Amino acid sequence: MIRTKILGLGSHVPDRVVTNEEIPYLDEQHVRQDTIQTETNDAWIQQRTGIKARRYVPNDGSVATSDLAALAAKKAIADAGIEPSDIDCIILGTLSPDFHFPGTAVLVQKKLGIDRTSCACFDIRQQCSAFVYGMQMADAFVRTGMYKRILLIGAELHSHSLDFTTRGRDVMVLFGDGAGAMVLGPSESDDPRTGIVYTSAHADGTGAMDLYLKIFEIQKLPYVGYNAKSREENEIIYPKMDGKRVFLNAVRGMVMSTQAALAKTGLSWDDIQWFVPHQANLRINEKVVEVAKIPPEKVLNTIEFYGNTTAATVPLTIDYWRQQGKVKRGDRILSSVFGSGFTWGAAIFTF
Ligand code: UT7
């Protein structure tokens, strides 16, 4: 029987570390000023979110989301021991695409030099849940024999679309830039406990306006109402969030999908080496761990130093802890995610 196996993993974060101490002083060009630009502080950020630092791309316009994605992808391809030309499908999750269209996956295909005739490219728009949604897609494609070497990427460049004023502080302090990637392909195995064991994907569109970034409204003429000089009008270019509703729904969705993953596979925490939750807020993850009774020593987080990198958090966290020597080949991982949409889901897979 064909099952889907993870063949390679890679990640990339930009070099610039932005600490909580620096955040209040950054202007919209990410340049440190002498005076406070945003009323926030390290104590508030750490207490409410657990975040201490995040990474930002250079502010010189030299790096796009597709660059972060391509750097992570190259490492995943090398880790799989294959060539870029072996990739026959790219699935890329991002909420910070290079352009409105075309999608960013084709730009990554070009940057990797992948043959233009033999590679399908998909952009998916499930925000913080994109990696689990993408894994479900990849698993279906591999099992049916549609594609044999799928590059699944989560990549985000958040720092350019955040509001560096007190108005945007609730969202701005949370997010960082980064990318993670996996290569997935077929393996002959009848063991249902190996490879991608389980995926689930859910959505509830009634939460769509609890976390969104409009930029434009296509039903309006003109459809972009952006005036840089008007603070009211330029609000449209920044994300908006009802933090408390997102928090409560995230805990609920991640607990439910984690419990369902175990119930539907018949696995218990004795069978799972690591729990890798989406990295939106350390307090969300602590609550999920408490309510779903997850052994705390099995939980892997990176939010303290990477912040929320949305579609990238799951592969970034697994790769970080692999580099630290914790995660090893063959380990079984349960991942649960929640994000804008609302969208949520879970996956169990051996790495
Ligand atoms: O992947 C999904 C993405 N997002 C999430 O998962 C986020 C989920 N939500 C959260 O993580 C939390 O709701 C936040 C961390 C965003 C906010 O924490 P909170 O405990 O819900 O705070 P709040 O929004 O109720 O705000 C409490 C106070 C307010 O001041 P007042 O009205 O009490 O005077 C805010 O204006 O904290 C203020 N505040 C801040 N103060 C300093 C909000 N953001 C900040 C800030 N620094 N960055």
Side-chain angles (χ1 to χ4, degrees):
M1 183 185 171
I2 294 178
R3 300 188 60 77
T4 310
K5 195 176 166 193
I6 294 166
L7 305 172
L9 170 70
S11 64
H12 173 78
V13 287
D15 290 337
R16 182 174 177 188
V17 177
V18 176
T19 62
N20 289 351
E21 285 82 7
E22 197 180 358
I23 279 275
Y25 295 95
L26 293 185
D27 68 13
E28 61 186 12
Q29 293 295 316
H30 307 172
V31 176
R32 189 181 179 124
Q33 301 295 319
D34 295 332
T35 54
I36 286 187
Q37 311 289 302
T38 300
E39 294 290 341
T40 187
N41 58 76
D42 176 48
W44 191 97
I45 301 169
Q46 279 208 50
Q47 192 194 17
R48 306 280 178 134
T49 73
I51 297 169
K52 297 177 183 164
R54 70 288 290 146
R55 300 296 183 97
Y56 284 1
V57 297
N59 64 353
D60 59 5
S62 60
V63 178
T65 299
S66 59
D67 295 305
L68 299 175
L71 287 165
K74 278 181 189 162
K75 292 182 193 166
I77 290 168
D79 192 44
I82 62 170
E83 296 297 323
S85 55
D86 296 322
I87 298 294
D88 56 4
C89 174
I90 299 174
I91 302 172
L92 184 139
T94 188
L95 63 69
S96 45
D98 288 16
F99 312 114
H100 177 50
F101 77 83
T104 304
V106 296
L107 305 174
V108 175
Q109 180 208 12
K110 183 177 155 208
K111 285 179 181 174
L112 294 175
I114 295 175
D115 189 314
R116 67 180 190 275
T117 58
S118 58
C119 180
C121 287
F122 297 89
D123 275 43
I124 60 170
R125 301 293 307 271
Q126 283 70 32
Q127 296 67 247
C128 301
S129 306
F131 212 80
V132 164
Y133 265 72
M135 191 177 269
Q136 184 173 73
M137 276 176 77
D139 185 34
F141 283 149
V142 169
R143 281 173 189 258
T144 58
M146 182 75 76
Y147 302 115
K148 292 195 164 40
R149 291 287 181 270
I150 299 182
L151 181 57
L152 172 61
I153 312 172
E156 304 289 356
L157 198 169
H158 283 307
S159 59
H160 287 182
S161 60
L162 299 172
D163 185 357
F164 285 82
T165 69
T166 301
R167 179 182 72 177
R169 64 184 178 176
D170 57 331
V171 177
M172 181 264 278
V173 300
L174 304 176
F175 290 95
D177 304 336
M182 284 180 181
V183 177
L184 300 105
S187 77
E188 281 290 337
S189 167
D190 290 325
D191 183 355
R193 293 156 56 107
T194 63
I196 296 188
V197 177
Y198 169 89
T199 59
S200 71
H202 308 278
D204 173 9
T206 64
M209 302 318 279
D210 288 330
L211 177 51
Y212 66 91
L213 169 52
K214 278 189 182 166
I215 302 188
F216 64 83
E217 291 177 277
I218 203 74
Q219 77 270 31
K220 292 190 177 166
L221 271 174
Y223 73 105
V224 180
Y226 170 54
N227 175 355
K229 293 200 175 118
S230 157
R231 283 187 58 82
E232 288 316 308
E233 286 180 28
N234 78 10
E235 264 199 290
I236 198 164
I237 65 171
Y238 299 119
K240 289 263 170 250
M241 178 172 73
D242 182 333
K244 286 210 185 327
R245 276 184 55 81
V246 176
F247 192 111
L248 288 172
N249 281 282
V251 172
R252 189 181 305 141
M254 288 165 73
V255 166
M256 274 170 26
S257 56
T258 298
Q259 290 174 333
L262 294 176
K264 291 200 171 151
T265 55
L267 297 172
S268 74
W269 286 108
D270 291 340
D271 306 306
I272 309 274
Q273 277 70 48
W274 305 111
F275 176 60
V276 181
H278 170 52
Q279 306 288 304
N281 182 327
L282 194 61
R283 309 297 164 233
I284 292 177
N285 293 354
E286 288 169 347
K287 199 72 193 162
V288 171
V289 167
E290 180 197 322
V291 178
K293 298 188 174 52
I294 299 167
E297 69 279 7
K298 297 197 170 189
V299 183
L300 300 180
N301 287 308
T302 49
I303 183 140
E304 296 97 320
F305 39 89
Y306 288 157
N308 183 351
T309 56
T310 305
T313 61
V314 170
L316 200 50
T317 300
I318 299 171
D319 199 31
Y320 175 83
W321 287 110
R322 172 172 71 160
Q323 287 169 31
Q324 303 305 308
K326 267 196 166 184
V327 177
K328 302 211 167 45
R329 276 286 181 190
D331 284 355
R332 197 173 289 111
I333 295 171
L334 193 162
S335 188
S336 73
V337 293
F338 183 91
S340 160
F342 295 132
T343 53
W344 68 99
I348 298 178
F349 50 91
T350 52
F351 168 56

